[in-house]
Amino acid sequence: MAKHKTPLLDELEKGPWPSFVSDIKREAESRAKNEKGVEYQIPVDVCDDLLGVLELSYNDGETHWKHGGIVGVFGYGGGVIGRYCDAPEQFPGVAHFHTVRVNQPSGLYYTTDFLNKLCDLWEFRGSGLTNMHGSTGDIVWLGTTTPQLEEIFYELTHKLDTDLGGSGSNLRTPACCLGKSRCEYACIDAQDLCHDLTNEYQDFLHRPAFPYKFKFKMDGCPNGCVASIARSDLSFIGLWKDNIRIDQKAVKAYIGGEIPPNGGAHSGRDWGKFDIQKEIIDLCPTKCMWMEGDTLKINDKECNHCMHCINAMPRALRIGEDTGCAMLLGAKAPILDGAQMGTLVVPFIKCEAPYTEIKDLIEKLFEFWMEEGKNRERIGETMKRVGLYKILQVLEVEVDARVVQEPRTNPYIFWKEEEVPGGWDRQIADYRSRHKM
Amino acid sequence: MAFISSGYDPKQPMKDRITDIGPKHYQEFLPPVLKKNYGKWLYHEILEPGILMHKAESGDEVYTIRVGSPRLMGVQTIREMCEIADKHCGGHLRWTTRNNVEFMVDSKDKVAPLKEDLLSRKHDGGSFKFPIGGTGAGMTNIIHTQGWVHCHTAATDASGTVKAVMDDLFEEFTHMRLPAQLRVSMACCVNMCGAVHCSDIGFVGYHRKPPIIDHNVLDQICEVPLAVAACPTAAIRPTKVDMPDGTKVNSVAIKNERCMFCGNCYTMCPALPLSDGKGGDGLIIMVGGKVSNRISNPKFSKVVVDFVPNEPPRWPTLVKKVRQIVDAYSKGAHKYERLGEWAERIGWERFFEVCDLEFTWHLIDDFRDPAYETWRQTTNFKF
């Protein structure tokens, strides 16, 4: 028997898409029955009360969660977010309802053994409700009380060999696509880079040293399945420098209709017969492809790695073999100054363990930002304030035309004194000797 | 409910303390067929909506069945997924970046029983637990934020709006009949904790009334200079306020006409709430963003509907507007063309016409320098 009446939420049990209301009710019921005899460490009716407070929000159109509050585990400044309900008398089960961020494994693969252990811990010491996963990538545990936090951390580290993620003005938990584990497009080992950097910068993950949050994300190729170009302060996108590998036999099979284009992604509608001219060659953004008889030719020097031809004919075309990644800086969502896309700062860098060259760049960047960044200013905003020029100098990278979309349209160049013959120090008497007042 | 310690001793917090160990190594979790062929994949095919086959150089194949999830899930559901993975997949499974769940098997004959098992499971309320789809030229799961379930700045609910829209667009999840993939995202306030700012379609909760100033507590719970500095439009200034009981308190004053309702002040100072259930809060709809570099450059989403009211529990106006956009796109775009590419090709003036959306004053950007880039500086427009 449900603790609270939820007529509005019940409407969301209808329809084919998995219902989160049904899911929370399932959890509530499981806790009420407690068939396994779990000694719940937070209120048994936490899920019922969550439904109750959500129904209240559905009635009055406003959230009933209070602003943060500082909670966490000893020695860490991140990983736990305080959360309290503003109607604790009505819903005591969720009066204290803190979030725990658990660092996810790269690529979001799990064994059932590990997942079940996570479930045991969270059922015992928390609400049993999760987000799989949070927007940044962490396993997010929704709702526990303050006395449970150290206990959860102890069990995570001692028994499950895993750690909390980041929150606050920290390095946030790095995230990546599934990379080489199951994708033929991966130009870099995104999972390894993610795991390596996560471990290398644990101190920054757990102890706030930055002006604001900082996110690393790794995409194995320019398709961008983890959206690094839009969502990470420092984005790594896999690229190749040499030629696309062509299997001409497979090209013919696509033309002949034996292999469906785009891996079969368009099979739900009749788009007509595959037309290599229309679907590949004409859509190539740099027009670097053409047919010679029944042979596909690519002028690879003009290719800009957009991925379309490779995506559309994965059995005929493969990424090149000289691989590495581009690094882009400063992406963020709109708040406060408007959205920013990552800006290219390093067009190509080799990306192999132990990633020394990459870490060298990261450390220069961190040092600069911790010194120059304003409170609550993302690195992308700092970059806008000081200029890309300054950032490239900080990184000590060679500048080339790849880092801009176009050169400047104004001639207001900040020449430095040492760049101009004779410097800036001039004598008025000398000038007047040539020009009378 | 007796307190049970895990072994942690609050009197000696440093005793045996383990910190900064990071996550478990991903290699421990890979299914054997993936581990064996790591970095040696040749190509993939989508056999039917939601079912992928990846072929390795070794000749090995892995079959993946992708199912949708509500993202917010209890451990009972996770345990059920584990039970399925134990039964069919050798105890391995994974999540995607868009909150789908993938069950993988290493031979084709294991696909049909897995598929049948997944589709047979339904919640008591009638919804699928594990609908199959989310691949190719179709719609995948809507990524979303916390909403009223767990967030203090949410202007709308996230899980509820997503459930309502996904129910309506369910067929686009289970089919691959759109011109290209359609990535839909939801954020419950303009902080945009999901990548809504670069999605084909995004809906974003937002506030439309300036903060209410709680003079009673402001000075006790906020740093006034931080609240002042938090405002990107300099609408907030420090002031002293005479309270009804005759006392004078330190507080802030707000120039309401400068407020763009971002909520950053509330984040810095809880005495400045913005939420309004009486018509102030609702959603905007943004379209045309993408993160992929495929064919055209990554793009930001653009606001095309300036306000949709909060209509819990099923947000009919939101659902209807999203549907209008999806239908017009599905009808009008070329094969491989993303929503934003299509809108640019036909022109935004035509976009509003074919989607039957009203272009309003609020859709002309008036926020800072980038606004200029969005005004038209050409006579190349359409009637």
Side-chain angles (χ1 to χ4, degrees):
Chain A
M1 181 63 191
K3 185 177 166 190
H4 304 284
K5 284 211 163 27
T6 55
L8 293 174
L9 290 176
D10 295 349
E11 289 296 313
L12 288 169
E13 292 202 87
K14 298 171 183 165
W17 187 251
S19 168
F20 72 99
V21 175
S22 300
D23 209 300
I24 301 173
K25 282 188 178 176
R26 180 185 192 184
E27 203 60 37
E29 206 171 302
S30 161
R31 286 177 82 92
K33 281 190 192 153
N34 194 13
E35 281 169 351
K36 286 182 289 181
V38 178
E39 282 199 72
Y40 296 119
Q41 296 293 290
I42 74 162
V44 172
D45 53 1
V46 54
C47 299
D48 299 275
D49 277 356
L50 181 67
L51 285 167
V53 74
L54 188 59
E55 179 77 12
L56 182 64
S57 281
Y58 271 51
N59 267 304
D60 53 19
E62 290 171 359
T63 187
H64 281 285
W65 297 102
K66 282 204 276 193
H67 200 284
I70 294 174
V71 290
V73 301
F74 190 76
Y76 277 21
V80 182
I81 298 123
R83 186 69 76 230
Y84 302 90
C85 179
D86 69 7
E89 297 81 12
Q90 264 175 288
F91 308 106
V94 293
H96 300 230
F97 199 65
H98 310 321
T99 308
V100 180
R101 289 187 181 163
V102 179
N103 197 335
Q104 82 285 6
S106 285
L108 311 176
Y109 289 92
Y110 298 94
T111 55
T112 53
D113 178 55
F114 181 66
L115 266 182
N116 276 316
K117 283 178 183 156
L118 287 176
C119 290
D120 290 344
L121 171 56
W122 187 237
E123 189 171 39
F124 177 48
R125 297 197 179 275
S127 70
L129 298 175
T130 73
N131 283 154
M132 296 296 280
H133 298 75
S135 294
T136 297
D138 304 270
I139 302 161
V140 170
W141 284 350
L142 296 172
T144 192
T145 59
T146 309
Q148 295 305 315
L149 297 173
E150 285 292 352
E151 305 295 335
I152 290 166
F153 182 64
Y154 190 94
E155 293 198 28
L156 273 180
T157 50
H158 282 76
K159 296 174 190 162
L160 291 166
D161 192 24
T162 203
D163 208 337
L164 297 181
S167 64
S169 290
N170 282 348
L171 177 66
R172 296 300 178 84
T173 317
C176 61
C177 69
L178 56 56
K180 288 182 183 271
S181 64
R182 207 194 62 200
C183 184
E184 66 270 30
Y185 303 149
C187 303
I188 57 171
D189 192 341
Q191 285 171 284
D192 189 58
L193 176 64
C194 184
H195 189 80
D196 192 302
L197 295 187
T198 303
N199 283 286
E200 179 81 26
Y201 298 113
Q202 282 292 306
D203 201 25
F204 289 117
L205 246 165
H206 295 132
R207 286 155 208 101
F210 293 150
Y212 200 16
K213 67 181 89 164
F214 194 101
K215 298 180 180 182
F216 288 139
K217 293 191 195 294
M218 298 79 181
D219 275 309
C221 84
N223 280 329
C225 290
V226 79
S228 74
I229 203 165
R231 301 172 61 209
S232 58
D233 297 273
L234 193 57
S235 149
F236 302 84
I237 301 180
L239 288 176
W240 67 97
K241 260 183 130 168
D242 54 347
N243 298 340
I244 292 173
R245 288 172 279 173
I246 310 178
D247 177 345
Q248 298 290 355
K249 240 171 76 184
V251 172
K252 287 186 193 86
Y254 278 104
I255 295 170
E258 292 103 74
I259 310 174
N262 222 29
H266 286 85
S267 60
R269 199 199 284 191
D270 182 10
W271 292 94
K273 192 178 177 309
F274 174 71
D275 179 343
I276 196 166
Q277 184 66 37
K278 198 172 128 199
E279 296 187 34
I280 309 294
I281 295 171
D282 292 348
L283 290 181
C284 171
T286 66
K287 306 286 180 273
C288 69
M289 311 178 83
W290 69 98
M291 294 298 291
E292 277 182 21
D294 54 4
T295 305
L296 178 69
K297 297 280 191 185
I298 303 176
N299 177 4
D300 283 277
K301 193 166 164 43
E302 296 308 316
C303 168
N304 73 355
H305 325 99
C306 92
M307 295 296 297
H308 172 65
C309 61
I310 297 174
N311 288 334
M313 302 199 296
R315 290 180 71 166
L317 303 175
R318 294 181 75 186
I319 58 162
E321 289 169 306
D322 182 9
T323 56
C325 70
M327 293 168 68
L328 295 93
L329 186 70
K332 56 180 274 292
I335 205 152
L336 290 166
D337 254 2
Q340 285 183 232
M341 203 71 80
T343 294
L344 185 66
V345 289
V346 178
F348 189 83
I349 189 165
K350 279 304 216 187
C351 193
E352 277 150 24
Y355 310 106
T356 314
E357 222 187 322
I358 286 174
K359 287 174 189 168
D360 182 47
L361 291 171
I362 289 169
E363 279 151 33
K364 283 179 195 159
L365 195 65
F366 281 176
E367 203 176 316
F368 166 78
W369 188 47
M370 287 190 287
E371 189 69 31
E372 299 287 333
K374 291 184 188 173
N375 183 36
R376 281 175 71 78
E377 183 180 61
R378 296 282 287 267
I379 184 81
E381 291 161 332
T382 314
M383 176 172 65
K384 258 174 107 173
R385 183 163 57 78
V386 303
L388 175 61
Y389 196 95
K390 175 75 188 167
I391 295 288
L392 295 174
Q393 283 178 330
V394 166
L395 295 175
E396 297 177 85
V397 293
E398 283 290 316
V399 56
D400 73 38
R402 292 178 187 91
V403 299
V404 293
Q405 198 65 40
E406 58 185 35
R408 66 196 308 154
T409 53
N410 63 70
Y412 308 138
I413 302 165
F414 291 94
W415 289 95
K416 289 190 175 55
E417 185 174 12
E418 62 271 21
E419 291 180 301
V420 187
W424 290 348
D425 200 13
R426 293 184 288 162
Q427 300 303 316
I428 191 66
D430 175 46
Y431 183 81
R432 288 284 167 239
S433 70
R434 300 190 303 276
H435 305 278
K436 294 225 163 19
M437 266 299 270
Chain B
M1 187 174 75
F3 184 85
I4 300 173
S5 172
S6 56
Y8 170 74
D9 180 359
K11 291 193 188 101
Q12 295 175 279
M14 297 312 287
K15 189 168 168 274
D16 298 332
R17 197 166 186 86
I18 300 173
T19 67
D20 301 290
I21 54 171
K24 294 270 277 183
H25 200 278
Y26 56 93
Q27 286 278 355
E28 290 180 43
F29 297 132
L30 298 179
V33 63
L34 297 195
K35 205 168 182 173
K36 181 185 161 202
N37 297 291
Y38 196 89
K40 298 199 166 92
W41 296 97
L42 270 182
Y43 63 86
H44 74 277
E45 279 171 19
I46 307 172
L47 305 178
E48 56 184 276
I51 305 185
L52 305 148
M53 186 279 289
H54 285 81
K55 184 96 173 176
E57 286 170 10
S58 64
D60 288 348
E61 292 174 344
V62 62
Y63 294 83
T64 301
I65 300 195
R66 181 179 292 173
V67 302
S69 95
R71 182 177 93 137
L72 194 169
M73 57 181 76
V75 298
Q76 304 314 316
T77 301
I78 300 175
R79 287 192 208 282
E80 187 172 347
M81 289 171 185
C82 289
E83 177 203 318
I84 296 167
D86 281 335
K87 193 167 141 199
H88 298 271
C89 314
H92 295 268
L93 70 164
R94 78 172 285 265
W95 268 258
T96 73
T97 53
R98 300 194 77 86
N99 310 319
N100 299 295
V101 181
E102 292 185 335
F103 296 93
M104 290 154 284
V105 291
D106 55 11
S107 76
K108 199 171 185 179
D109 56 319
K110 295 177 183 169
V111 173
L114 172 55
K115 187 180 159 184
E116 194 188 337
D117 189 350
L118 288 165
L119 292 179
S120 72
R121 296 171 189 252
K122 289 194 166 184
H123 280 294
D124 293 343
S127 64
F128 283 102
K129 283 179 180 166
F130 309 112
I132 296 172
T135 53
M139 192 191 165
T140 187
N141 200 349
I142 300 180
I143 53 167
H144 66 275
T145 57
Q146 300 282 21
W148 291 333
V149 171
H150 202 46
C151 182
H152 65 290
T153 67
T156 187
D157 192 34
S159 309
T161 54
V162 166
K163 164 72 174 150
V165 173
M166 283 308 288
D167 276 343
D168 188 62
L169 293 173
F170 189 71
E171 300 275 303
E172 305 308 337
F173 177 82
T174 59
H175 288 76
M176 302 189 293
R177 58 190 189 185
L178 294 174
Q181 64 263 56
L182 186 77
R183 300 284 178 257
V184 185
S185 309
M186 190 287 155
C188 53
C189 83
V190 292
N191 272 310
M192 291 201 198
C193 299
V196 172
H197 64 301
C198 287
S199 300
D200 293 289
I201 299 178
F203 36 104
V204 182
Y206 82 142
H207 306 286
R208 297 191 302 172
K209 294 184 186 177
I212 314 167
I213 309 169
D214 192 345
H215 297 298
N216 277 318
V217 294
L218 193 138
D219 196 31
Q220 296 154 43
I221 60 172
C222 305
E223 295 279 352
V224 170
L226 285 182
V228 170
C231 183
T233 61
I236 304 177
R237 66 178 193 279
T239 192
K240 291 200 187 297
V241 175
D242 294 314
M243 299 302 284
D245 66 357
T247 56
K248 211 180 209 17
V249 295
N250 292 319
S251 189
V252 298
I254 297 179
K255 274 197 177 150
N256 287 339
E257 66 278 14
R258 280 199 191 171
C259 180
M260 48 105 164
F261 321 106
C262 69
N264 197 44
C265 56
Y266 178 60
T267 299
M268 298 309 283
C269 171
L272 296 170
L274 286 88
S275 287
D276 184 78
K278 297 192 175 74
D281 295 347
L283 303 103
I284 52 169
I285 301 178
M286 307 181 75
V287 307
K290 75 196 239 316
V291 297
S292 163
N293 291 269
R294 186 178 187 173
I295 301 178
S296 65
N297 292 350
K299 299 176 204 307
F300 290 124
S301 317
K302 290 94 184 155
V303 180
V304 295
V305 177
D306 59 5
F307 186 72
V308 175
N310 270 331
E311 298 168 323
R314 296 207 67 102
W315 282 268
T317 310
L318 173 72
V319 170
K320 181 171 166 271
K321 301 267 183 208
V322 171
R323 166 61 77 177
Q324 279 167 229
I325 297 165
V326 174
D327 283 351
Y329 163 66
S330 180
K331 199 172 142 201
H334 294 159
K335 190 179 179 184
Y336 304 112
E337 204 168 41
R338 294 287 290 265
L339 200 154
E341 295 168 329
W342 164 67
E344 284 173 10
R345 175 170 62 79
I346 64 171
W348 286 99
E349 65 272 42
R350 189 69 75 239
F351 171 87
F352 283 92
E353 191 183 304
V354 297
C355 293
D356 194 19
L357 298 175
E358 190 192 355
F359 187 87
T360 71
W361 283 94
H362 299 133
L363 303 181
I364 300 174
D365 195 353
D366 57 357
F367 185 68
R368 303 212 166 153
D369 274 3
Y372 176 81
E373 307 295 328
T374 66
W375 307 337
R376 198 188 299 274
Q377 285 105 25
T378 166
T379 57
N380 294 334
F381 58 84
K382 295 176 182 177
F383 289 105

